[in-house]
Amino acid sequence: MQTKLLRPSEDPTAIEQAGELLRAGEVVGIPTETVYGLAADARNPEAVARIFEAKGRPQDNPLIVHIAHLDTVHDIAADFPPAAQALAKAYWPGPLTIILPKQDSIPMVTSGGLNTVGIRFPSHPLAQAIIRAAGVPLAAPSANLSGRPSTTTAQHVMEDLNGKIAAVVDGGACTVGVESTVVSLCGARPRLLRPGGISLEQLRAVLGEVDVDRALRERIDDTEKVSAPGMKYRHYAPKAPVTVVFGSPKASADYIASRLGDKTGVLCFDDCAARFRGQAVVETFGPSADAAEQAREVFDALRRFDTTDCTEIFAQCPPSDGIGLAVSNRIKKAAGFHVIDLTEGEK
Ligand code: TXA
Ligand code: MG
């Protein structure tokens, strides 16, 4: 299959072409404010099956359904409780996915066999325009091959999926850079399943208490039952194994500097890079004091290691407040939760 690169900035028919392909049951890579999505008609089981096939994604890992109008929630969720309405009012359109009980209109292949469904109203103008042009809700996981870092440019999507999908819409680089926050409202209390563009503090400001799923803190065995099935798979990983060194920028840089070998890679803050240059394969992901910038750069930096010959990677990691929780979660997942915690003695 020839994958078309559609450029709305140059071609006024690009959005309509994407909409037509989606209506016809094809898979299209689309920009969103978080990461690129691999979209298909959420109500068409054959179209959704093509997403799983193109990504190589396990069938039990549910997809998020994307909408471009609040009223559409009622076609997808069986219930839209006050807590969900309050979240939607505060953070939609935006980088937040709400898990709710599912309507029958959403086939089981979309929800990974669950009776619940994740819904997101993205803020990216092109994402909204494409959903409207398609005229159907769009199921879309991140547009990467399963297990690889998510994609934040149309070029990343082509790297992973060229020849496997009908088209990619180029909307430039994503402005958030990590995926949406996933919160479940299906249990007794709200539960954070994946940290993302909306912080835990922002969720608590609207919902009060929010539980944090343990999959955020530790590695989940492949055989275990988990609330967010996606959390159990090895994710975001470059080919070389990653070790996270958690601590202040200086403490983690000191630790990593003492362990450099011939083919060591270092994922580090901009302001620590000078310590390693010339001695290691260095990829930076933003200033230590700017977690929002780290979020925009982290997946691109992880991807760059695969073009180098490094055989091990040490990674610095921001503190876990604000969007730092999402950044540190992605880096820890890339490391399979192999973390050296330099702050342990301080606790
Ligand atoms: O920002 C995002 O959310 C991007 C863009 C494209 O919107 N999408 C995305 O999708 O990251 P994906 O499939 O890569 O990640 C969705 C996560 C997975 O961990 C999945 O297991 C979880 O959300 N999820 C989806 N539906 C769920 C459900 N009904 N119950 C529990 N977890 C669910
Ligand atoms: Mg993903």
Side-chain angles (χ1 to χ4, degrees), residues 176-330:
V176 176
V178 289
E179 303 90 333
S180 64
T181 300
V182 179
V183 63
S184 172
L185 297 180
C186 294
R189 280 153 57 106
R191 176 177 291 265
L192 175 66
L193 303 184
R194 178 177 75 179
I198 296 294
S199 68
L200 180 57
E201 294 85 345
Q202 284 175 296
L203 291 182
R204 286 186 170 144
V206 171
L207 297 173
E209 289 194 78
V210 177
D211 292 339
V212 173
D213 203 84
R214 82 185 167 88
L216 266 65
R217 284 185 294 267
E218 55 192 275
R219 191 192 168 100
I220 302 293
D221 199 276
D222 278 1
T223 56
E224 281 181 68
K225 192 172 164 358
V226 287
S227 337
M231 300 309 264
K232 74 184 175 188
Y233 302 108
R234 184 163 187 251
H235 248 162
Y236 313 123
K239 288 175 190 130
V242 180
T243 302
V244 177
V245 183
F246 188 74
S248 70
K250 171 153 189 334
S252 54
D254 286 347
Y255 180 95
I256 295 168
S258 73
R259 275 163 181 79
L260 296 181
D262 239 12
K263 292 194 169 170
T264 306
V266 182
L267 174 66
C268 68
F269 302 126
D270 296 357
D271 34 298
C272 297
R275 301 251 339 233
F276 308 115
R277 289 227 195 272
Q279 304 178 63
V281 176
V282 181
E283 297 294 351
T284 58
F285 71 116
S288 56
D290 188 349
E293 182 59 21
Q294 293 161 27
R296 280 188 284 276
E297 294 191 29
V298 67
F299 286 134
D300 185 54
L302 284 169
R303 279 178 171 264
R304 288 196 303 264
F305 281 110
D306 283 349
T307 64
T308 75
D309 63 352
C310 68
T311 52
E312 58 168 355
I313 298 167
F314 285 104
Q316 292 188 295
C317 179
S320 300
D321 54 330
I323 197 164
L325 182 64
V327 176
S328 69
N329 169 262
R330 301 311 187 270

Side-chain angles (χ1 to χ4, degrees), residues 35 55 57 61 141-144 148 150 179 194 235-236:
V35 299
K55 261 191 84 117
R57 180 175 174 110
N61 195 358
S142 50
N144 50 282
R148 292 210 73 207
S150 300
E179 303 90 333
R194 178 177 75 179
H235 248 162
Y236 313 123

